Amino acid sequence: MPAFAENLLRDNIRRLRPYSSARSEFKGAARIFLDANENPFDNGLNRYPDPLQRPLKARIAALRGIQPEQIFLGNGSDEAIDLLVRLFCEPGLDRIITLPPTYGMYEVCAGICGVEVVQIPLTAGFQPDVEAILAASDGRSKLLFVCSPNNPTGNAFDTALLQALLRGFPGIVVVDEAYGDFSSRPGALPLIDEYENLVVLQTFSKAWGLAGIRLGMAFAQAPLIEWFNKVKPPYNVNQLTQNAAMEALREPELFHRQLATILAERAILEQALPLLPMVEQVFPSDANFILVKTAEPNDLYRHLVSAGIIVRNRSSVILCEGCLRITVGTPEENRQLLDVLKQYATA
Ligand SMILES: *Cc1c(COP(=O)(O)O)cnc(C)c1O
């Protein structure tokens, strides 16, 4: 009997014979490689990178307590989002479900492929509306994108709601944990052995401080990950990126120190922002940004820009009326932010 994921695939993908690269065809050790038309003179980068990034996956697997076969690595988690849509969604027939307000790339990737997006807004408390989501789902609803902690609201979703979605949704539930490192909640990764319809996305772009190398992770049961490997460009994660990630993982102290600082600074901002007269509400954050509601968002945004501080104006986004999204910066940057906000209050 074919695995769960295989049943959901587009027909052309199920029939696909993947490209076989030189580096994936010969798997053993050798003295002399004359199989890939590379320049033979060693400069550290003259060879094609490992298509399956095995040393890096071994490290990540150990760090996360999972198997290397349960990991896909991509050119940012954005690549994983794009591949998911192309694996499972037949243009004009299949749909994805998103829960606005949320990350924009789900809709963009679907749009590029001509795949319809069904939007089921979060509840007023910024939680998934499980009943409405399941009522809107059928056999053509291939992917449900659940961003937790959610961008731009900043909160993580209740685990019980997530489990209800995993049990009830007929397609694949993609839990995007780009901000998971900043949350004290356990996240969905421990559930991957239990749910064959779960994909968890994480990234090196936020807490790891490596947005520039473009490295994202997708975790799922091995049969689903195999399909990622069949459709990805053969050398999608370049050697420089693999090297930089290995180095960061070798010395995780810097990651832990910076994470602790960002969390402490988030607490400082969560204390200070509500004291400002123009701030109407500061939403609790499980991420490295804070959503702030104010009476004059556009005015305040312009004031910050004129002081050289750029935040994200989310005031025209559903459920975020009046809101600015402020990333937690360095201690000095946050001090300056509060100073400029106080100036606005007294002006
Ligand atoms: C920043 C962010 C990402 C990161 O994408 P990368 O391609 O890994 O840089 C993914 N999802 C959400 C919700 C984000 O905010």
Side-chain angles (χ1 to χ4, degrees):
M1 194 179 79
F4 167 83
E6 198 167 326
N7 284 328
L8 288 180
L9 290 168
R10 296 166 65 195
D11 291 333
N12 63 314
I13 300 292
R14 206 179 294 116
R15 288 193 305 264
L16 186 73
R17 215 151 50 81
Y19 174 72
S20 179
S21 68
R23 275 301 163 270
S24 57
E25 225 159 72
F26 179 78
K27 294 189 173 70
R31 284 185 306 121
I32 300 175
F33 282 100
L34 303 176
D35 60 345
N37 302 341
E38 297 149 332
N39 179 321
F41 299 104
D42 185 10
N43 60 10
L45 294 170
N46 59 313
R47 298 294 177 186
Y48 279 104
D50 176 0
L52 291 174
Q53 312 95 22
R54 277 161 290 203
L56 187 51
K57 281 182 184 168
R59 286 237 169 207
I60 294 169
L63 186 75
R64 290 289 189 256
I66 57 170
Q67 300 303 310
E69 299 73 31
Q70 297 175 315
I71 305 173
F72 163 80
L73 298 179
N75 187 350
S77 25
D78 287 348
E79 181 176 23
I81 295 167
D82 179 54
L83 290 181
L84 280 164
V85 173
R86 291 197 283 143
L87 277 169
F88 293 107
C89 299
E90 192 59 38
L93 287 178
D94 292 329
R95 294 181 290 276
I96 71 163
I97 296 185
T98 66
L99 315 179
T102 193
Y103 187 49
M105 279 305 287
Y106 316 135
E107 188 176 351
V108 171
C109 288
I112 290 169
C113 290
V115 169
E116 189 192 341
V117 181
V118 175
Q119 300 189 320
I120 309 291
L122 297 176
T123 63
F126 293 154
Q127 293 290 333
D129 187 340
V130 174
E131 210 173 308
I133 293 165
L134 297 183
S137 308
D138 60 21
R140 286 286 170 198
S141 316
K142 294 295 186 71
L143 302 171
L144 168 62
F145 284 95
V146 178
C147 186
S148 176
N150 186 43
N151 178 4
T153 56
N155 64 302
F157 296 152
D158 284 343
T159 310
L161 299 180
L162 207 57
Q163 299 233 21
L165 291 171
L166 283 165
R167 278 193 300 269
F169 187 68
I172 289 170
V173 179
V174 185
V175 181
D176 186 344
E177 298 184 346
Y179 301 97
D181 295 302
F182 304 103
S183 174
S184 54
R185 303 200 191 213
L189 197 53
L191 302 175
I192 57 167
D193 287 325
E194 188 178 340
Y195 292 102
E196 55 189 352
N197 63 337
L198 171 62
V199 174
V200 177
L201 303 181
Q202 296 181 358
T203 181
F204 280 79
S205 295
K206 307 285 154 67
W208 281 96
L210 291 170
I213 71 172
R214 310 303 303 129
L215 184 62
M217 302 168 268
F219 305 104
Q221 292 186 7
L224 205 165
I225 294 296
E226 267 179 54
W227 287 103
F228 274 98
N229 292 334
K230 284 179 188 161
V231 300
K232 79 187 185 68
Y235 305 110
N236 62 325
V237 178
N238 73 69
Q239 191 64 53
L240 294 170
T241 294
Q242 295 188 39
N243 295 350
M246 283 298 275
E247 198 169 319
L249 290 167
R250 221 174 277 129
E251 292 181 15
E253 297 78 19
L254 182 66
F255 163 83
H256 289 295
R257 219 169 38 242
Q258 291 182 346
L259 180 59
T261 302
I262 290 167
L263 293 180
E265 286 294 311
R266 184 180 76 193
I268 290 172
L269 289 175
E270 281 178 330
Q271 288 257 305
L273 289 169
L275 305 178
L276 297 166
M278 70 289 195
V279 169
E280 293 179 349
Q281 194 169 0
V282 176
F283 294 95
S285 173
D286 295 293
N288 67 333
F289 57 84
I290 301 176
L291 193 68
V292 179
K293 190 176 169 74
T294 156
E296 316 98 6
N298 298 325
D299 226 37
L300 186 57
Y301 177 81
R302 276 192 298 273
H303 175 77
L304 287 166
V305 170
S306 70
I309 298 176
I310 314 302
V311 300
R312 200 80 197 266
N313 189 345
R314 301 277 78 181
S315 58
S316 61
V317 170
I318 178 174
L319 295 178
C320 295
E321 293 78 15
C323 289
L324 302 179
R325 191 195 71 188
I326 304 177
T327 307
V328 179
T330 65
E332 174 56 26
E333 287 172 343
N334 301 329
R335 256 194 302 280
Q336 291 193 31
L337 169 78
L338 289 174
D339 281 349
V340 172
L341 289 174
K342 280 173 200 155
Q343 281 166 21
Y344 178 87
T346 55

